Amino acid sequence: DRMGTKSLMLMRTIRMGLVATAIATVSGLLLAGTGLRAQKAELASVLKQMDASAAKFQDVAADISVDNYTAVVQDHEFQKGITAFRRANGSMEMVMHLKTSDGQPYADLLYRKGQLENYNPIQNQETIVSAGANKQEYDSLLATGFGATGKELSAAWTVTFQGMETVDKVQTAKLDLVSKDAKIRENYSHLTIWVDLSRDISMKLAMFQPSGDSRTATYSNIQYNAHLKDSQFKLDIPKGTPVQRR
């Protein structure tokens, strides 16, 4: 009868729909699995290249441009200056000299032997912070963009490869990093670095805080393995400057 025929057709249509849905679901899962395997393979290749380049890294000097973003007031503050990094005695060292956007001295920073010195010329104040038990965290953050091996990076961070991008005419691997250290995550929810794989140095580094604030540093005029002198890793602080230790 007609009702029976219609019911049979309806059941067939439903079965065909279910089969089509199942096929689409399985296909989607297979494609997703293929995509995930491809991403893992690409990340493994990037980290392997970093391992090879890190072995050659000694030091780097560069111009730096910094964009400090404050989310609550949606405001950007800019600085420019020079910076340098090097491996010395199994640890990372960093020096940075920053000026405001209108060229006024803003800050001089030096990290060396587990100690961070910050000279504020505007307030004529020097602050010295000892890394102490947190030295490994400091070293990890500094080495993240300069000279870290792929193994070191993946040991300290959950790394996501976000593709290749050009920064200042240099082809870079864009990597998003979430620290495996809860203390670092309290201050930085994640970092993004744009790495020149041939030299294992960052062309750009963005640090994001849970508050929504961020700090983005862009590097240019890079001098790679320039055999930097010890004198470059010192601060010229006027005698008599008040010192605060933490």
Side-chain angles (χ1 to χ4, degrees):
D1 58 9
R2 291 183 179 180
M3 290 298 294
T5 302
K6 287 183 178 180
S7 297
L8 183 59
M9 291 177 64
L10 180 59
M11 290 299 296
R12 287 176 178 174
T13 302
I14 290 173
R15 283 199 297 269
M16 289 175 66
L18 290 173
V19 170
T21 300
I23 291 173
T25 301
V26 172
S27 297
L29 290 172
L30 288 173
L31 289 172
T34 301
L36 185 59
R37 286 194 294 272
Q39 288 178 349
K40 288 183 177 180
E42 289 174 332
L43 176 59
S45 175
V46 166
L47 296 178
K48 187 175 181 180
Q49 289 180 70
M50 291 181 69
D51 285 337
S53 297
K56 297 177 288 185
F57 177 86
Q58 297 174 11
D59 57 49
V60 62
D63 293 341
I64 181 173
S65 297
V66 181
D67 175 2
N68 294 296
Y69 175 69
T70 304
V72 68
V73 292
Q74 297 185 357
D75 181 63
H76 292 266
E77 184 182 28
F78 300 95
Q79 293 100 35
K80 289 187 176 183
I82 57 175
T83 187
F85 296 78
R86 72 174 179 178
R87 284 194 182 276
N89 301 317
S91 181
M92 286 298 296
E93 296 184 354
M94 178 277 296
V95 64
M96 188 179 299
H97 305 284
L98 294 174
K99 294 184 178 181
T100 61
S101 56
D102 59 358
Q104 298 301 310
Y106 179 79
D108 296 310
L109 300 99
L110 173 67
Y111 178 74
R112 190 176 188 184
K113 297 180 180 179
Q115 182 171 277
L116 177 65
E117 296 180 51
N118 182 356
Y119 172 59
N120 186 326
I122 300 174
Q123 299 178 356
N124 189 34
Q125 174 74 48
E126 180 184 10
T127 303
I128 299 176
V129 181
S130 175
N134 299 318
K135 182 177 180 297
Q136 187 173 355
E137 295 173 30
Y138 277 66
D139 283 359
S140 175
L141 281 169
L142 287 174
T144 295
F146 298 94
T149 66
K151 292 178 182 177
E152 290 170 338
L153 203 67
S154 57
W157 307 83
T158 299
V159 186
T160 303
F161 175 59
Q162 297 185 333
M164 302 299 293
E165 290 188 8
T166 300
V167 178
D168 195 22
K169 300 180 181 180
V170 175
Q171 186 79 343
T172 68
K174 183 180 179 182
L175 302 175
D176 193 71
L177 313 175
V178 176
S179 179
K180 295 180 180 179
D181 189 316
K183 291 182 180 179
I184 293 180
R185 290 199 306 273
E186 288 177 3
N187 294 305
Y188 301 103
S189 54
H190 69 113
L191 279 63
T192 305
I193 57 176
W194 287 257
V195 184
D196 173 3
L197 297 177
S198 66
R199 298 179 290 182
D200 195 30
I201 58 176
S202 287
M203 299 296 296
K204 186 177 177 181
L205 164 65
M207 309 174 77
F208 300 92
Q209 297 179 266
S211 63
D213 294 354
S214 64
R215 181 180 188 274
T216 302
T218 305
Y219 305 93
S220 59
N221 296 325
I222 292 172
Q223 302 174 51
Y224 172 72
N225 284 351
H227 305 291
L228 303 177
K229 299 178 181 178
D230 288 342
S231 59
Q232 293 176 257
F233 289 83
K234 293 180 180 179
L235 298 185
D236 186 13
I237 299 175
K239 291 183 179 179
T241 298
V243 178
Q244 182 180 19
R245 293 184 179 274
R246 296 179 183 175

